[in-house]
Amino acid sequence: MALMAGMTAQANEMNDTTVISKAEKVTIMTSDTLQKIQILGQDGNADYRYEKSVPLNAYKMKKLRKKKDEKETTYFEGDLGVGIGVPTNAPEGYGFAAFKSGEIFLGLRYCYTPKNALQTYSVGLWFDWRQYGLSTNKMFVKDQYNVVSLENYPEKASSRSSKINIFSLSVPFMFTQKFGQKSKCRLMLGPVVNFNVYGRINNSYEMGDVETSEKIKGLEYRPVTIDLMAAFQYKGIGAYFKYSPMSVLKTDKGPQFRSLTFGLYF
């Protein structure tokens, strides 16, 4: 750093204090271990030269320099989740199967980390697909009033499968806590708002050599639901847990079960 300074007319030295009047050029050079001061020229003496070196605490200087260089950061982060669904609070007779129910979500989050912080705040957009499959000998059906209920499969039907599928555009609002500046572990918490845009029933079964498959549209699901999500990751790989206190289908439009999913989170 170079400074041009004008001061009154003379130079005096007393103990470790030096006063330079009207210095022509002052240069201060600082490293992690040393600070060097150089003064060239003063009032009436162009050949005047003064130099002094001051030792510095290397650890403190590195810490101060690092703190000065640290800035708030913003970035985009991709997310992928693959999990198992366990519908809860289902009415009697609706036997949902965990390994026939599942979830996949994929998307991006915009992340903001304040300066020197271990916390990150993010918001994003995910594409989420969930299915809820039955384990009983009954299948989902829908009547003329769009009410979902259960019905027996045809007699002697085999390879049976009946599922409710819901597709959503989800907006996560996540808080992330790291456990140290160099830590590779992090905990994530926050709500996920689901804008449910499509839903249908998929039924399939076989009768002898004949395979039957049907898709039933027009489900009256809730247009907006909220999940409470928690996730833990180490080196970008971890597990997540999501639970919605809201039923998937509208009131009086089918079984009032709730969504619980958990699985791998990348």
Side-chain angles (χ1 to χ4, degrees):
M1 177 179 64
L3 302 174
M4 297 301 296
M7 305 166 68
T8 46
Q10 55 186 358
N12 299 311
E13 289 196 21
M14 293 187 301
N15 298 327
D16 60 349
T17 301
T18 301
V19 180
I20 309 296
S21 300
K22 292 188 177 180
E24 294 183 4
K25 184 178 182 180
V26 179
T27 304
I28 300 175
M29 294 168 285
T30 305
S31 69
D32 289 337
T33 59
L34 191 71
Q35 186 174 76
K36 184 176 180 180
I37 303 170
Q38 183 184 76
I39 301 174
L40 300 177
Q42 65 165 343
D43 185 32
N45 184 3
D47 296 328
Y48 181 84
R49 183 184 182 90
Y50 174 85
E51 290 186 358
K52 186 176 180 66
S53 297
V54 181
L56 300 174
N57 186 307
Y59 173 76
K60 288 184 178 180
M61 288 303 297
K62 287 181 179 179
K63 193 171 182 180
L64 288 172
R65 193 182 296 275
K66 181 179 179 182
K67 188 172 182 180
K68 183 177 179 181
D69 292 340
E70 288 177 343
K71 299 179 181 179
E72 60 186 33
T73 58
T74 58
Y75 56 93
F76 285 96
E77 186 168 281
D79 297 302
L80 171 64
V82 180
I84 296 171
V86 184
T88 65
N89 298 85
E92 186 177 353
Y94 285 85
F96 288 98
F99 290 98
K100 291 185 179 181
S101 303
E103 176 184 45
I104 297 176
F105 62 87
L106 174 69
L108 287 173
R109 283 179 297 113
Y110 177 76
C111 305
Y112 167 73
T113 303
K115 183 178 179 180
N116 304 324
L118 297 175
Q119 298 79 30
T120 297
Y121 308 89
S122 62
V123 62
L125 179 64
W126 291 343
F127 298 94
D128 187 287
W129 174 77
R130 281 176 281 191
Q131 62 176 235
Y132 309 97
L134 291 173
S135 62
T136 65
N137 59 352
K138 295 181 181 293
M139 61 182 179
F140 289 114
V141 293
K142 181 176 70 72
D143 65 17
Q144 59 181 331
Y145 302 106
N146 294 332
V147 177
V148 175
S149 60
L150 295 180
E151 186 177 277
N152 291 324
Y153 284 97
E155 189 176 352
K156 297 183 180 181
S158 61
S159 302
R160 299 172 296 189
S161 175
S162 184
K163 299 176 181 178
I164 290 178
N165 295 271
I166 302 292
F167 177 75
S168 311
L169 294 177
S170 301
V171 180
F173 297 90
M174 303 304 294
F175 167 80
T176 303
Q177 175 69 55
K178 290 180 63 178
F179 297 96
Q181 292 292 353
K182 296 183 179 180
S183 175
K184 297 178 181 179
C185 298
R186 63 179 186 173
L187 176 67
M188 303 173 64
L189 300 168
V192 180
V193 181
N194 304 301
F195 297 93
N196 304 312
V197 296
Y198 182 72
R200 73 185 183 197
I201 295 171
N202 280 37
N203 291 330
S204 64
Y205 54 89
E206 293 181 2
M207 295 288 293
D209 295 331
V210 179
E211 182 177 343
T212 300
S213 178
E214 61 179 354
K215 298 177 181 179
I216 304 173
K217 302 179 182 179
L219 299 186
E220 294 201 23
Y221 46 81
R222 291 185 183 273
V224 179
T225 54
I226 297 176
D227 296 336
L228 304 177
M229 179 174 176
F232 179 83
Q233 285 187 320
Y234 174 72
K235 291 186 177 180
I237 302 175
Y240 81 92
F241 172 91
K242 288 167 66 178
Y243 173 71
S244 176
M246 307 172 67
S247 61
V248 175
L249 301 177
K250 290 182 178 179
T251 305
D252 300 328
K253 293 299 180 180
Q256 298 297 287
F257 64 92
R258 299 170 184 174
S259 176
L260 184 155
T261 57
F262 58 89
L264 298 177
Y265 182 42
F266 306 93

